[in-house]
Each structure stands twice: as C-alpha cells, then as structure tokens.
Amino acid sequence: MDDHLFTLNGDERWLIRFTHLKGDAYGITYTRKAARPRIVIHDGLRGRHRLTVLIHELLHAIFPQASEDVVEQAGKDLARVLWTLYDITPKEDEA
C-alpha cells in the first residue's frame, strides 16, 4: 500500500492510495461526502495506464458534476499530452 495526501479544490485534504483492488475497477473516487475523501488506484497498473487512471480519478474528485463520458475523454487526452510532452517516469518504474 502506498499512500499520499494532497490538497484538492483549494482546501480539501484527499488521500491517494495505491493498493490492490478486487473486481474490474482500476480506480475509485470516494467523494467529499465520504468520511474521508480519497482516491484508490490499483497498484498493479504501470506507466501510461497508471497515469491515465490517476488523472481520470482526479477529474472525478475535482469536477464531481462532470459526466463519466467527459471525465473519460478528458483523462485520456490529458494523459496522452503529458506523457508525450514530458519525460514521465513513475516512481514505481524507476530503477
């Protein structure tokens, strides 16, 4: 399990946790209505797929009113641009 705390939406403390997820979901966002707002990402994801899922879930956290279609497309677009323009090496991939 790999935990990180971030402030989102100006002043909301969010937990981002990378851990094993059962089932078909790669990520889950527990909204600010939850006892503790958090994003959980499957720890088996690597590289660009991990980035895409993280961005997707961050979009849910920051824009909870956005439709799944909007979040899905925006997440893919942002991940593609960031992956292409920046030399992104996720911490779990570093040697």
Side-chain angles (χ1 to χ4, degrees), residues 1-8 12-19 36-41 43 50 54 58 90-92:
M1 189 169 6
D2 187 16
D3 289 353
H4 307 272
L5 287 173
F6 288 94
T7 300
L8 301 176
E12 296 174 358
R13 295 293 289 170
W14 282 72
L15 171 69
I16 298 178
R17 174 172 286 166
F18 294 90
T19 190
R36 178 160 198 175
R38 63 196 180 282
I39 294 171
V40 182
I41 306 289
D43 62 1
R50 183 176 173 131
L54 176 59
L58 284 166
K91 289 181 181 181
E92 82 280 354

Side-chain angles (χ1 to χ4, degrees), residues 45-85:
L45 300 179
R46 297 288 179 261
R48 187 168 166 177
H49 192 200
R50 183 176 173 131
L51 177 65
T52 302
V53 172
L54 176 59
I55 291 171
H56 177 103
E57 298 305 331
L58 284 166
L59 288 168
H60 277 305
I62 296 168
F63 303 107
Q65 73 286 359
S67 71
E68 184 65 23
D69 288 343
V70 167
V71 168
E72 184 72 22
Q73 189 60 58
K76 288 178 181 177
D77 291 345
L78 286 167
R80 184 182 69 255
V81 169
L82 292 172
W83 191 264
T84 302
L85 292 180

